[in-house]
Amino acid sequence: MYKAFQAYKEFIQARYPDPYIDAMRFKEHRLFAKTLKWGERLARERAETDRKNLEKAQFAERCEHIHASGARCGSPKMNGGLFCYKHQRMEEARAMKLDL
């Protein structure tokens, strides 16, 4: 959208070199201005949603897997499980121990 707006702006400047011409009288320019404001509003809303989700994620319970170095995995647990997605899948894929 930004590239299209810049191309339109260059078109207006080339066609009407007088800087005092009111560009807002053009329907296309008003449309671009509204679209840019709408995009900015959506970006602000998305940033706020992301911030709230990150705050929630900070309080999530953590995976109980312990690495070989002794450090714990820092990923959030899956619902109803002890491990994160990766370690849960690793546990499921582990070969069953056969007692012969």
Side-chain angles (χ1 to χ4, degrees):
M1 184 56 87
Y2 178 77
K3 289 180 184 179
F5 182 74
Q6 291 303 323
Y8 175 73
K9 186 176 170 183
E10 290 172 11
F11 169 78
I12 292 294
Q13 288 174 348
R15 190 162 182 181
Y16 304 100
D18 185 3
Y20 297 105
I21 289 182
D22 182 19
M24 289 302 282
R25 70 180 181 180
F26 298 107
K27 180 174 76 172
E28 294 85 2
H29 188 81
R30 290 191 304 269
L31 179 63
F32 272 116
K34 284 182 181 180
T35 304
L36 288 176
K37 287 180 183 178
W38 177 71
E40 290 171 357
R41 182 180 55 83
L42 287 179
R44 283 192 307 271
E45 289 174 1
R46 180 64 185 186
E48 180 66 18
T49 301
D50 289 346
R51 185 189 64 76
K52 287 178 181 178
N53 288 341
L54 187 58
E55 285 178 2
K56 288 180 189 176
Q58 297 298 328
F59 295 110
E61 294 184 37
R62 300 297 163 181
C63 177
E64 295 184 13
H65 176 80
I66 298 177
H67 295 285
S69 66
R72 290 188 70 169
C73 176
S75 299
K77 286 182 185 180
M78 288 185 52
N79 288 339
L82 297 176
F83 301 111
C84 63
Y85 180 82
K86 175 185 168 186
H87 292 119
Q88 183 70 33
R89 295 297 173 257
M90 288 173 64
E91 285 292 319
E92 291 172 0
R94 183 180 293 186
M96 295 177 73
K97 189 174 186 179
L98 298 177
D99 191 20
L100 298 176

